[in-house]
Amino acid sequence: MPSRSLETDYLVVGAGAMGMAFTDALIDHADVHVTLVDRRHAAGGHWEDAYPFVQLHQASVFYGVASTVLGTGAVQEDGPESGLQERARRSEIQSYYDDLLHRRFVGSGRVTFLGGREHHTDGAAQLVTSRVSGDTVEVEVRRRVVDATYFSPTIPATTPPPFGVADDAPVVAINELARLDAAPRRFVIVGAGKTATDGIVWLLSNDVSPDRITWIRPRDPWMLNRAVVQPRPVVALGLAADTMSAAAEAESLDDLFLRLEAAGVMLRVDRDVVPSMAKTPTLGVWELDLLRTIDDVVCLGHIEHVTTTEIVLDEGVIPLAPGSLVVHCAASGLQYPPLVPIWEPDKIRLQTSRAGFPCFNAALAGYVEATRDDDRERNRLCPPTNLPDDPLSWAQMQVRGTLATRAFGAEPDIAAWANGCALNPARIEPAQRDDPDVQAAAARVADVVEPGLARLAALAGLPLAPSGA
Ligand SMILES: Cc1cc2nc3c(=O)[nH]c(=O)nc-3n(C[C@H](O)[C@H](O)[C@H](O)COP(=O)(O)OP(=O)(O)OC[C@H]3O[C@@H](n4cnc5c(N)ncnc54)[C@H](O)[C@@H]3O)c2cc1C
């Protein structure tokens, strides 16, 4: 039974990147009170449990909330990413969210944060139970419940390995690499995604020689070249033009990705394998060069189980040398729940509308919630877009995302807001519009977008008209 109750306009469940970006845009554009709940004791979501050496995969300015830029917007001047935008480390992201939560949100008196508390329901009652005291509070919500957990990623620190682990088998989550007491003789990195590549790059950067690393890579991944995801209109328009040009000419999904690779957009580790995985995390070319130094790559499918002496996979068994450490980097990361309308009678379920960029999309939803008063219209402006897993779902994401961008971008106030929002990867500030390079890049996009989108839709098996249109 609830011990007490409190009232609020919005109950936002999840103080991760999406809940924070939504709340920030909402309170900036509407005079409302928000109660933000998270089972974690701080804001920032999965970053609280991320491995210590994690960095944003993309530019800092694309991450966080609309009102407050993360980082300085500086371009790196030395190191392997010279010329590319800075990327925040975990501690900077945590401190950014902590500051935002306590100074801007709670300090304004318009946000109440209930950290270390679990949200649950009992019939229509919205309940929040402290994980410390066990007390339950009922939250009376005047306007909306907002589910900011729908796209919450899974990470190794909080998700057990997706394979069996025998007693005493030397399996750890990637976080443990930074807490080793003694150096293992070998490292077996398990996973084909961004976490695995981060683990390998970190080991190599810590003087572990490549021949001490085994990489268990069930699927080969396509990854996005970080150089083409930069907050500069010429780069963003160039990416759009390259994508649509490749699509217009593509004979198949594989052919599309190979064309994107030739255009410098996509990267793959092994040039002899056409990847089947396309979550498309962002990678630097310097990281790719390091990854290619690993010769002991095991492509025998997924692991079934690990014992103290061997690793049993779908398609074979490999011995586990004494002194090896098996590093779990195999949480799925992105989630793929069914796409549902963002605005439904009982709740708002935050999802992406334009392709990728969860922070921009959550901020957009906050802006649209504050500035529109009809859910049908809100859903027309912000249809949901899936996250990618393979080439087909990547193409579907591009088609859905492009149609969504057209829908919200056609509204003058949203276009103006988005062009002033650093989170927006397609942002063009008014002063940049007359730049001849920007105009040339925009003309390139205009030339290819229609044939490219039509072919992309055919490859994706999707109609071109938004549903309901
Ligand atoms: C290693 C890594 C690097 C990434 N780098 C980038 C990047 O550079 N750029 C980019 O755009 N994206 C990046 N992403 C993706 C991006 O961070 C995520 O997709 C997105 O930001 C996740 O935010 P979220 O709010 O959806 O989820 P989360 O961060 O998981 O937040 C959801 C919160 O909800 C809380 N919660 C869930 N259920 C309940 C409940 N019942 N009661 C109370 N609280 C609850 C959880 O405790 C959690 O804190 C990265 C992801 C990972 C894993």
Side-chain angles (χ1 to χ4, degrees), residues 20 40 43 113 184 201 250 264 290 299 302 316 330 348 362 366 378 381 391:
M20 292 294 283
R40 291 183 164 106
F113 179 58
V201 168
L290 287 176
C299 300
H302 292 88
I348 296 173
R378 291 178 173 122
L381 296 174

Side-chain angles (χ1 to χ4, degrees), residues 12-21 37-51 54-60 62-64 87-88 93 97 114 116-120 127-129 131 147-156 194-195 198 226 282 333-335 350 352 356-360 362 387:
V12 177
V13 182
M18 294 192 83
M20 292 294 283
V37 184
D38 204 298
R39 61 167 72 109
R40 291 183 164 106
H41 74 282
H46 68 85
W47 297 102
E48 278 297 297
D49 292 307
Y51 38 102
V54 71
Q55 271 183 271
L56 281 174
H57 300 160
Q58 296 179 351
S60 293
F62 291 148
Y63 209 81
R87 298 185 289 125
I93 300 168
Y97 280 123
L114 302 179
R117 291 171 172 90
E118 188 75 24
H119 168 261
H120 53 116
L127 304 172
V128 174
T129 298
R131 294 160 73 92
D147 179 358
T149 70
Y150 202 57
F151 272 2
S152 169
T154 55
I155 58 169
K194 183 61 188 158
T195 303
D198 277 356
R226 187 169 294 131
T282 314
L334 301 182
Q335 294 300 298
L350 295 181
T352 53
F357 299 94
C359 299
F360 172 73
L387 299 177

